[in-house]
Amino acid sequence: MRSIVIRVLLTLPVVWVVVSLVFLLIHLVPGDPVQQMLGEGATSSDLAALRHQYGLDQPLAVQYLHYWRDVLHGNLGRSIRLNDTVVHLISTRYPYTVELTLSALILGLLLAVPAGVMAATHRGRWQDQSIGLGSLFGLSFPSFALGPILMLLISIRLGWLPVSGASPDGLWSAGGWKFLVLPAAAMGASLAAILTRMVRTAMLEELNRDYIRTARAKGLSENAVVYRHALPNALVPIVTVVGLQFGALLAGAIVTETIFSWPGLGRLVVTAISGRDYALVQGSLLAIGLTYVLVNLLTDLTYRWVNPRMRG
């Protein structure tokens, strides 16, 4: 428990630095969000009134202190462009991003673990070479390149799945999975390629250890040796990689959500940046940073659970 508390305390400064840098950088971007919101025909009195309403007429240091004071009280401010509280906007978009990221992660694991095991157990054969070629193909196509290809082939040419957007009936509707397949596949393909190589390498190391030779000498079947003994030990380093890749998926969700018009937090960040919506950008990145901290903490706990040596 003490190590978990220390881990949390060490990661919180990272979130503070990230949000502080975003706060400073977004204010250095040329352009006036109030002028952009009201248009060129706005009077100077209207501009001054709106700046005062959102606290943009104060010095940057004062705005920074007021922002963190409000954050500590659970107030992330109000969106200039959307005229709504940042907390409400994040709460409506955040579930979509979590669902998309988890779906891509689960899809990557479902593809990578069996493929990595097969490649390791058939080392040097055509199965291993085919899986290696497939993983190289997955690494060569990032989500922003694979996404439009999937839209063209699966949605436009074949008409099997919707092109973009989310289900109008809600996130958890019966047909909502149809809208999720393509963006999850675009995000999960590169992850599956990375994890496949990791699983293959870890499995090859475990299959050459003495306890595997002992298990085979006892007459255990090959499936029992591979799946009951080698695979659980091979998954120990994979847990750490999955935790790190979750952060990469969150970052990739910004691009993928924009391509597929997925109403998630990443697309909201892009809209907020283009509109210079300071409070919305800062609040969204704070939510993403806290999510990454929580995922790292869960990764540490999972790693201790799957690795008995870490429990002692």
Side-chain angles (χ1 to χ4, degrees):
M1 191 65 186
R2 179 174 176 271
S3 62
I4 294 174
V5 173
I6 293 175
R7 178 68 174 175
V8 173
L9 294 177
L10 290 177
T11 51
L12 288 180
V14 177
V15 178
W16 171 73
V17 170
V18 170
V19 177
S20 299
L21 288 176
V22 171
F23 180 90
L24 295 175
L25 292 175
I26 193 65
H27 281 78
L28 292 176
V29 174
D32 186 359
V34 176
Q35 182 73 60
Q36 186 176 359
M37 178 181 177
L38 295 181
E40 297 294 335
T43 62
S44 57
S45 59
D46 292 336
L47 294 174
L50 192 60
R51 288 193 186 97
H52 180 72
Q53 177 182 348
Y54 287 96
L56 298 177
D57 56 343
Q58 299 177 349
L60 188 60
V62 176
Q63 295 183 43
Y64 179 77
L65 293 177
H66 287 175
Y67 172 73
W68 277 110
R69 180 198 63 189
D70 294 338
V71 168
L72 295 177
H73 288 84
N75 180 19
L76 299 181
R78 193 174 187 87
S79 170
I80 297 178
R81 302 284 299 178
L82 301 178
N83 194 26
D84 196 359
T85 62
V86 174
V87 173
H88 179 259
L89 291 171
I90 292 176
S91 64
T92 55
R93 300 293 190 96
Y94 186 78
Y96 286 92
T97 297
V98 172
E99 184 191 40
L100 176 59
T101 306
L102 289 179
S103 299
L105 183 63
I106 293 173
L107 178 63
L109 288 172
L110 290 177
L111 293 175
V113 174
V117 171
M118 179 177 290
T121 54
H122 297 81
R123 182 180 182 180
R125 303 177 187 175
W126 66 269
Q127 295 94 331
D128 185 18
Q129 296 175 358
S130 300
I131 292 173
L133 182 62
S135 62
L136 181 62
F137 179 81
L139 290 172
S140 302
F141 277 86
S143 59
F144 62 83
L146 183 59
I149 295 176
L150 293 177
M151 293 170 64
L152 179 63
L153 294 178
I154 306 299
S155 298
I156 299 177
R157 290 288 181 86
L158 300 176
W160 290 349
L161 295 171
V163 177
S164 61
S167 175
D169 297 328
L171 182 63
W172 309 110
S173 60
W177 64 272
K178 296 181 180 179
F179 295 85
L180 184 63
V181 172
L182 291 185
M187 287 179 58
S190 58
L191 175 64
I194 295 173
L195 293 180
T196 297
R197 297 196 171 196
M198 290 290 300
V199 172
R200 178 185 180 275
T201 302
M203 282 294 296
L204 288 176
E205 292 180 359
E206 294 300 325
L207 290 174
N208 290 326
R209 295 188 182 275
D210 293 336
Y211 74 92
I212 295 296
R213 299 189 187 96
T214 303
R216 285 171 174 163
K218 290 181 178 180
L220 294 179
S221 64
E222 188 64 19
N223 287 335
V225 171
V226 171
Y227 293 102
R228 289 176 52 190
H229 295 278
L231 182 59
N233 292 318
L235 290 178
V236 172
I238 305 301
V239 171
T240 304
V241 177
V242 169
L244 295 175
Q245 287 298 316
F246 188 88
L249 288 176
L250 281 176
I254 297 178
V255 178
T256 305
E257 289 178 2
T258 304
I259 293 174
F260 288 94
S261 298
W262 184 258
L265 195 58
R267 188 182 175 200
L268 185 66
V269 170
V270 174
T271 304
I273 292 175
S274 62
R276 292 170 180 81
D277 198 335
Y278 298 151
L280 188 55
V281 173
Q282 294 156 191
S284 300
L285 293 180
L286 178 62
I288 293 175
L290 291 176
T291 303
Y292 191 57
V293 169
L294 178 61
V295 169
N296 275 287
L297 179 60
L298 293 177
T299 301
D300 288 344
L301 295 177
T302 306
Y303 186 79
R304 293 173 180 273
W305 177 64
V306 299
N307 189 359
R309 291 173 294 183
M310 293 293 294
R311 302 176 201 168

